[in-house]
């Protein structure tokens, strides 16, 4: 483990099919890529390094890769996750209506009671919005979750979503442990960040609902 | 299934003290995969499926590769993706554009091997 890594966080991305879960994770799309050619493999999980407020953490990000269609997510998928991004499509109300089920499932299987939840209303680039921002914020507030609206297509707020989630996990005591080789030094920075929650991205989109 | 052997030209220039001299990035996007000096050069024959295939094609071509950067811990990567288990291994992909396989992850030893010819040794 690099000496500059604070910790490793397991993050889940859940929600109905085709709400844009995977595209939230795909940062770069190669414009020159031949549309007649496809990648030969599907991805199970990813490790990514992110730096938030000077703290560098490794994320192990788990995407359901379509199996949510058959409701076959196993308890092990949820085990030890510190953060969950629950996604719906603002242009399809039925995906918002299923949010309660996803949060119930998360609460059933999570092994960490203070897991940080973020509700993401995706596809705000679409003209046919069916779920208002206010409804999303209200729902998130009821579940003590962070709330953000995003467009994976235009990349609006996508980076912000991950940074916001990581920031909140770092600030949640008892949710994570520092990398062992950092044990002596980390308690200081943990105390530094525990004295208040400051939304990194500002404005309504990132507020702690 | 066809097997093609590929090798890397001017490999010596990429290695310093047995490790990758420079950082590794994806061939297709700017995503950084591994920092300099984190991988160890190993010569090992392994057959990896081709990076791409025509959508009309059902079978995947395999390439026999022998030059790899070994990474002992999956969290030593900067950014990397892991495929579902296939043929007893997990294949490695770019975490951002998902192009791959760029190597494989050994489920028994937990070691990771990145093919020199499938990443940019920038």
């Amino acid at each position: 483990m690099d000496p500059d890594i604070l910790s490793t966080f397991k993050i889940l991305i859940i929600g109905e099919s085709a709400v844009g879960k995977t595209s939230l994770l795909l940062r770069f799309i190669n414009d020159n890529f031949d549309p007649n050619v496809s990648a030969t493999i599907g991805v199970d999980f990813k490790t990514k390094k992110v730096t938030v407020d000077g703290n560098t953490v490794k994320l192990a990000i788990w995407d359901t890769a379509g199996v949510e269609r058959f409701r076959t997510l196993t308890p092990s998928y949820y085990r030890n996750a510190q953060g969950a991004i629950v996604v719906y499509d603002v242009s399809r109300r039925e995906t918002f209506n299923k949010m309660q089920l996803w949060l119930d499932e998360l609460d059933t299987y999570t092994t960490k009671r203070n897991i940080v939840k973020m509700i993401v209303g995706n596809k705000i680039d679409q003209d046919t919005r069916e779920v208002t921002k206010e409804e999303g914020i209200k729902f998130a507030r009821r579940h003590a979750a962070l709330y953000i609206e995003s467009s994976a297509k235009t990349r609006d707020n996508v980076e912000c979503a991950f940074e916001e989630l990581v920031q909140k996990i770092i600030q949640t005591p008892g949710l994570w442990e520092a990398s062992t080789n950092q044990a002596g030094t980390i308690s200081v920075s943990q105390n530094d960040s525990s004295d208040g929650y400051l939304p990194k991205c500002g404005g309504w989109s990132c507020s702690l609902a | 299934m066809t097997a093609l052997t590929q090798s890397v030209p001017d490999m010596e220039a990429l290695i310093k003290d047995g490790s990758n001299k420079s950082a590794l990035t994806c061939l297709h996007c700017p995503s950084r995969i591994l920092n300099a000096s984190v991988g160890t050069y190993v010569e090992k024959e392994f057959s990896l499926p081709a990076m791409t295939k025509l959508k009309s094609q059902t079978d995947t071509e395999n390439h026999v590769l022998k030059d790899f950067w070994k990474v002992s811990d999956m969290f030593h990567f900067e950014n990397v993706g892991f495929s579902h288990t296939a043929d007893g291994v997990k294949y490695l992909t770019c975490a951002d554009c998902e192009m791959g396989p760029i190597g494989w992850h050994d489920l028994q030893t937990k070691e990771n091997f990145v093919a020199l010819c499938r990443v940019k040794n920038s």
Side-chain angles (χ1 to χ4, degrees):
Chain A
M1 181 68 77
D2 321 23
D4 60 334
I5 301 290
L6 186 61
S7 190
T8 301
F9 299 153
K10 178 175 174 181
I11 311 287
L12 311 174
I13 303 186
I14 54 180
E16 291 297 291
S17 289
V19 294
K21 295 187 295 296
T22 300
S23 30
L24 276 181
L25 253 178
L26 283 175
R27 190 152 45 129
F28 305 107
I29 306 296
N30 190 340
D31 296 331
N32 302 322
F33 198 63
D34 183 347
N36 293 316
V37 167
S38 67
T40 51
I41 48 171
V43 177
D44 192 7
F45 67 97
K46 298 175 178 183
T47 72
K48 300 199 78 172
K49 196 156 127 178
V50 295
T51 302
V52 178
D53 298 339
N55 293 311
T56 301
V57 296
K58 278 277 167 77
L59 304 181
I61 305 173
W62 294 71
D63 181 3
T64 58
V67 296
E68 75 282 352
R69 231 168 297 177
F70 313 108
R71 289 274 164 184
T72 50
L73 297 190
T74 55
S76 67
Y77 176 78
Y78 290 95
R79 191 171 300 138
N80 292 326
Q82 282 103 342
I85 296 178
V86 196
V87 190
Y88 67 93
D89 174 350
V90 297
S91 68
R92 281 165 59 217
R93 176 162 291 276
E94 70 270 22
T95 65
F96 181 68
N97 293 342
K98 291 281 175 61
M99 291 295 278
Q100 186 64 52
L101 282 176
W102 283 110
L103 284 164
D104 289 347
E105 183 160 317
L106 184 61
D107 287 340
T108 305
Y109 292 119
T110 186
T111 53
K112 293 183 182 291
R113 283 177 55 188
N114 47 2
I115 183 172
V116 177
K117 290 172 261 189
M118 171 174 272
I119 310 292
V120 175
N122 196 27
K123 304 198 186 180
I124 52 171
D125 54 280
Q126 306 270 331
D127 304 327
T128 53
R129 180 192 273 268
E130 291 184 0
V131 185
T132 65
K133 191 165 73 187
E134 289 67 32
E135 285 176 280
I137 290 171
K138 204 172 146 191
F139 181 84
R141 188 172 296 145
R142 201 162 66 231
H143 292 89
L146 300 162
Y147 179 76
I148 202 168
E149 291 202 336
S150 66
S151 164
K153 198 168 155 194
T154 62
R155 309 307 302 162
D156 282 348
N157 288 339
V158 171
E159 289 294 299
C160 200
F162 283 95
E163 289 182 5
E164 188 79 2
L165 189 74
V166 166
Q167 191 181 41
K168 189 73 204 311
I169 293 170
I170 290 173
Q171 292 171 358
T172 305
L175 188 54
W176 57 280
E177 280 170 27
S179 310
T180 43
N181 58 350
Q182 288 252 321
T185 56
I186 222 59
S187 56
V188 176
S189 58
Q190 240 180 315
N191 288 340
D192 282 349
S193 58
S194 64
D195 54 9
Y197 176 72
L198 298 169
K200 184 176 177 65
C201 304
W204 58 269
S205 64
C206 286
S207 60
L208 175 58
Chain B
M1 192 183 279
T2 25
L4 298 166
T5 307
Q6 286 185 340
S7 57
V8 180
D10 199 21
M11 219 171 46
E12 294 303 311
L14 305 175
I15 305 172
K16 192 187 169 195
D17 302 330
S19 285
N20 53 314
K21 194 171 171 182
S22 51
L24 311 181
T25 53
C26 176
L27 288 174
H28 296 270
C29 80
S31 184
R32 179 176 284 214
I33 298 160
L34 195 71
N35 280 341
S37 311
V38 179
T40 310
Y41 174 75
V42 290
E43 206 179 307
K44 192 179 171 95
E45 228 170 61
F46 197 86
S47 172
L48 279 182
M51 296 268 275
T52 57
K53 65 173 170 108
L54 290 173
K55 275 188 176 149
S56 53
Q57 220 178 325
T58 47
D59 200 11
T60 307
E61 207 169 66
N62 270 44
H63 296 165
V64 178
L65 307 177
K66 65 176 185 54
D67 302 307
F68 292 94
W69 300 117
K70 185 175 92 176
V71 180
S72 55
D73 182 331
M74 65 165 75
F75 285 107
H76 288 173
F77 285 99
E78 293 302 289
N79 301 290
V80 76
F82 296 82
S83 76
H84 294 280
T85 305
D87 315 320
V89 297
K90 281 184 174 292
Y91 293 110
L92 306 179
T93 74
C94 170
D96 285 314
C97 70
E98 299 193 350
M99 282 303 296
I102 56 168
W104 89 97
H105 168 80
D106 186 318
L107 290 161
Q108 266 77 49
T109 65
K110 307 288 180 198
E111 288 170 334
N112 308 277
F113 299 88
V114 180
L116 264 73
C117 64
R118 294 198 176 180
V119 291
K120 206 182 280 170
N121 299 265
S122 49

